[in-house]
């Protein structure tokens, strides 16, 4: 049973809405209509490109829940940043015809934050918690009974004045997203009935995503240009869309055009110091550092200190792609450059 102490009696309880990052799915839909690239999320499963197996199995689970008029089982989505976990969670709520509430685990600091969130839910609604591996212990403990029995077990007050109270909750769906599955405790992980790993995208899928977004924002993107962009987007839609924005800026400001061909892509990426493999300045700095120091494995912290960068940023942003393209291996003793990685960094590859 989680202890809320006397917080629950204070004037800030339940928490004010603005203390939490909660967005109604209607607001997100309106943002979709703005044609702003940041908010141009797919609105249906059909518009969500790739991840076919995941969509098929979610489709069955969603249709079965709708048939039984029940909330969807709690769902865990995990995978690298930018692969579409938030988007998929939003689409699940859309397909379930229900409201989507979004919160980020680091913002749920006090037990009363999660209590307020849970008490604000209605039957069948979706609560999405991003970075769920970062929940603190008390919050996590409160979630156990909320997820399993749709019940909150609270202890209010302290010592001899403590009172226990049980509050029944509506049947809701918790969707958790994480980049670090291994950091989620087993009791929390076990309470998710559905668990899906979001994979990197193929170049064809990224090409499709890029083309769809170009249409949405009235850019004419030549096929070759879109394919070249897909190739360097690290299997990640967020990176593809970010690069597309930079290329759009370059085309509109320097070339005064909305037409993007391969030449514009090359020039725009060169101006951003992104090379033909999609590696940027930091990737090359990382590879060069290993190349200089590396005949034996080097630990992540030593690399981070040597480069003056944050180690988790290197671990989650820089390294996955370098491993994916075969330039880097992780061993129990540290990071090692592969011969492919060595060859690449020793040839001059700064240009797209
Ligand atoms: P995550 O939550 O995994 O970090 P997001 O859901 O925020 O990723 O996705 C990042 C961006 O990429 C968003 O703009 C989203 O609309 C887009 N995106 C991600 N996956 C897809 C997909 N499969 N099809 C179309 N767009 C996608």
């Amino acid at each position: 049973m989680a202890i809320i102490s006397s917080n629950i009696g204070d004037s800030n309880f339940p928490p004010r809405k603005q203390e939490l990052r909660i967005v109604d799915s209607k607001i997100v839909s309106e943002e979709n209509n703005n044609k702003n690239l940041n908010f141009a999320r797919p609105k249906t499963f059909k518009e969500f490109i790739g991840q076919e197996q995941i969509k098929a199995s979610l489709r069955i689970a969603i249709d079965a829940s709708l048939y039984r008029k029940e909330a969807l089982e709690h769902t865990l989505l995990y995978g690298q940043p930018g692969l579409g976990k938030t988007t998929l969670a939003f689409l699940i709520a859309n397909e379930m015809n229900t409201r989507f509430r979004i919160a980020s685990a680091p913002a749920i600091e006090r037990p009363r934050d999660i209590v307020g969130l849970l008490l604000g839910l209605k039957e069948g609604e979706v609560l999405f918690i991003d970075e769920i591996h970062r929940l603190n212990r008390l919050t996590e403990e409160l979630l156990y009974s909320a997820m399993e029995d749709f019940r909150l077990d609270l202890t209010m007050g302290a010592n001899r004045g403590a009172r226990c109270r049980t509050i029944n909750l509506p049947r809701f769906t918790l969707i958790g997203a994480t980049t670090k599955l291994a950091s989620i405790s087993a009791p929390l992980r076990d309470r998710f009935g559905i668990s899906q790993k979001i994979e990197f995208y193929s170049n064809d899928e990224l090409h499709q995503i890029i083309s769809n977004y170009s249409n949405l924002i009235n850019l004419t993107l030549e096929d070759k240009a879109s394919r070249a962009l897909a190739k360097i987007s690290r299997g990640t839609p967020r990176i593809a869309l970010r690069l597309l924005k930079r290329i759009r800026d370059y085309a509109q400001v320097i070339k005064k055009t909305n037409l993007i061909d391969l030449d514009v892509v090359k020039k725009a990426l060169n101006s951003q110091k992104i090379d033909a493999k999609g590696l940027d300045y930091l990737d090359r700095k990382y590879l060069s550092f290993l190349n200089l120091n590396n005949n034996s494995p080097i630990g992540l912290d030593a690399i981070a200190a040597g480069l003056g960068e944050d180690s988790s940023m290197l671990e989650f942003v820089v390294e996955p792609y370098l491993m994916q393209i075969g330039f880097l291996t992780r061993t129990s003793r540290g990071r090692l450059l592969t011969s492919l990685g060595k060859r690449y960094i020793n040839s001059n590859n700064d240009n797209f």
Side-chain angles (χ1 to χ4, degrees), residues 227-238:
R227 289 192 182 278
L229 184 53
K231 230 166 110 186
I232 60 155
S233 296
R234 303 171 173 232
T236 307
R238 179 177 293 140

Side-chain angles (χ1 to χ4, degrees), residues 107-221:
I108 308 174
E109 286 170 0
R110 300 150 302 182
R112 67 172 192 241
D113 294 334
I114 190 69
V115 171
L117 265 176
L118 292 169
L119 292 182
L121 291 173
K122 297 202 180 76
E123 196 74 21
E125 286 185 352
V126 169
L127 171 62
F128 174 68
I129 302 186
D130 201 10
E131 299 188 76
I132 197 158
H133 60 275
R134 294 179 64 185
L135 283 179
N136 60 47
R137 193 179 51 81
L138 276 181
T139 303
E140 200 178 302
E141 282 176 6
L142 276 166
L143 271 181
Y144 294 161
S145 62
M147 289 173 76
E148 197 153 300
D149 305 317
F150 300 99
R151 201 186 68 208
L152 271 174
D153 293 324
L154 306 174
T155 301
M156 285 169 278
N159 306 327
R160 294 177 64 192
R163 286 172 293 129
C164 296
R165 194 171 158 204
T166 296
I167 302 173
N168 289 325
L169 294 169
R171 299 182 80 83
F172 66 98
T173 302
L174 177 69
I175 303 184
T178 182
T179 48
K180 282 182 154 184
L181 183 67
S183 302
I184 299 186
S185 70
L188 181 60
R189 213 170 41 219
D190 291 348
R191 283 171 169 79
F192 287 98
I194 301 171
S195 177
Q196 295 286 357
K197 179 175 187 210
I198 319 289
E199 303 282 356
F200 286 111
Y201 291 74
S202 70
N203 287 347
D204 280 345
E205 289 164 343
L206 286 172
H207 163 60
Q208 182 74 52
I209 291 171
I210 293 165
S211 304
N212 291 352
Y213 278 108
S214 318
N215 289 338
L216 207 64
I217 57 168
N218 296 326
L219 276 184
T220 307
L221 190 64

Side-chain angles (χ1 to χ4, degrees), residues 41-42 48-49 81-87 201 209 213 237-238 241:
R41 291 188 192 275
F48 188 87
I49 308 298
L83 294 184
K85 298 180 291 300
T86 310
T87 309
Y201 291 74
I209 291 171
Y213 278 108
R238 179 177 293 140
L241 300 182

